Amino acid sequence: TPIVDDPYWFGQIAAANAISDVYAMGGRPLTCLNLVAFPSGKLAPEILHQIVAGAVDKITEAGAVLVGGHTIEDDEPKFGLAVNGIVHPDKLWTNAGAQPGDGLVLTKPVGSGVLFNAAIKNWVSEDALAECIAHLTTLNRVACETMQRFPVNAVTDITGFGLTGHSYEVARASGVTLQLTMDRIPMMRDALEMYRRGVNTGVNPHNRRMVQDHLKLEGDWPDWHREILYDPQTSGGLLAAVPGEAAD
């Protein structure tokens, strides 16, 4: 339904999400290739045109170019990008270098997963949904370029595995423990309220299972509040492990 409501921002979010992988490695995107599945017998071609138009605007904003694409017929619309970028081999970021004493910097709030599901029920205010879309259509370009001015030990982008899932990947790859403080985690407006009202996502249980044997929860947080830790993000922010003074 959201695709039909505004396919232009769907294309923007999809492009920002795909390009984010390049920024998470400290790179610069160069070329993009559209990958499209579309039910031409069910949806008007103008919808696909708007999806691609939204993607092209984000690709252009990133300083990259669209070089072509592939389209197939499918009952369910799907859209993504294959992105190529460039990075100096001595300046490549990975998720494997976090060090004891590093500070963690998160560049976007979390909560888009539950907000999208709650929007289907018309429970999310127009302002909260507009803020959510603004976050998701924002490229990680400025965050990447800002981090490049500082020593950075490890970076990942927060996407489908949620905050704890991607944090666990950094912890495992780096051989460290990551400590998150619940009341310092930036959250999108109304996201916690939607969990309190009983909304969830189909991905939260998977993300919870992925980390449950490696996660220690402290504090008297209700179960619905803890769900924000597993909320799947689309076009989420970068999570960076940065030496203490640089993190400040």
Side-chain angles (χ1 to χ4, degrees):
T1 300
I3 295 173
V4 178
D5 288 346
D6 196 336
Y8 177 80
W9 66 249
F10 174 80
Q12 285 198 319
I13 293 172
N17 184 66
I19 294 170
S20 180
D21 286 335
V22 175
Y23 291 134
M25 292 183 281
R28 177 168 60 90
L30 295 178
T31 63
C32 301
L33 194 70
N34 280 342
L35 305 172
V36 182
F38 197 75
S40 59
K42 296 180 180 179
L43 297 177
E46 290 76 17
I47 291 176
L48 180 55
H49 295 166
Q50 284 297 302
I51 292 172
V52 174
V56 168
D57 279 355
K58 281 297 147 180
I59 292 167
T60 303
E61 182 183 338
V65 294
L66 181 65
V67 296
H70 299 285
T71 307
I72 64 169
E73 183 77 22
D74 197 354
D75 288 337
E76 182 176 337
K78 304 176 183 71
F79 178 79
L81 300 172
V83 184
N84 288 315
I86 189 170
V87 63
H88 192 289
D90 294 336
K91 298 179 180 179
L92 174 68
W93 296 335
T94 74
N95 64 1
Q99 299 295 314
D102 282 353
L104 297 176
V105 178
L106 180 61
T107 67
K108 288 186 184 182
V110 296
S112 61
V114 73
L115 287 177
F116 278 167
N117 275 13
I120 296 173
K121 301 176 181 290
N122 293 318
W123 285 4
V124 182
S125 68
E126 289 186 7
D127 288 345
L129 188 59
E131 287 183 15
C132 172
I133 293 171
H135 285 303
L136 303 192
T137 55
T138 297
L139 292 172
N140 281 322
R141 178 176 182 170
V142 172
C144 172
E145 291 173 350
T146 301
M147 289 179 183
Q148 287 171 336
R149 304 201 303 265
F150 296 89
V152 172
N153 289 330
V155 182
T156 189
D157 56 340
I158 307 300
T159 52
F161 293 151
L163 179 58
T164 49
H166 290 285
S167 295
Y168 169 59
E169 289 183 327
V170 173
R172 181 181 59 185
S174 304
V176 298
T177 295
L178 268 59
Q179 179 176 327
L180 308 177
T181 303
M182 185 77 86
D183 57 12
R184 295 187 66 182
I185 296 172
M187 303 176 191
M188 295 186 188
R189 193 205 300 197
D190 287 357
L192 271 184
E193 174 62 14
M194 294 303 106
Y195 277 119
R196 189 192 67 79
R197 293 182 64 177
V199 183
N200 211 305
T201 83
V203 181
N204 278 54
H206 167 77
N207 289 346
R208 190 185 314 111
R209 288 192 298 270
M210 185 173 76
V211 300
Q212 64 186 6
D213 294 335
H214 312 279
L215 178 65
K216 180 180 180 182
L217 288 165
E218 296 180 347
D220 188 21
W221 304 100
D223 289 342
W224 59 263
H225 193 125
R226 295 181 179 188
E227 287 298 316
I228 196 71
L229 299 172
Y230 317 115
D231 190 89
Q233 305 306 294
T234 301
S235 187
L238 301 181
L239 178 69
V242 186
E245 292 182 1
D248 293 337

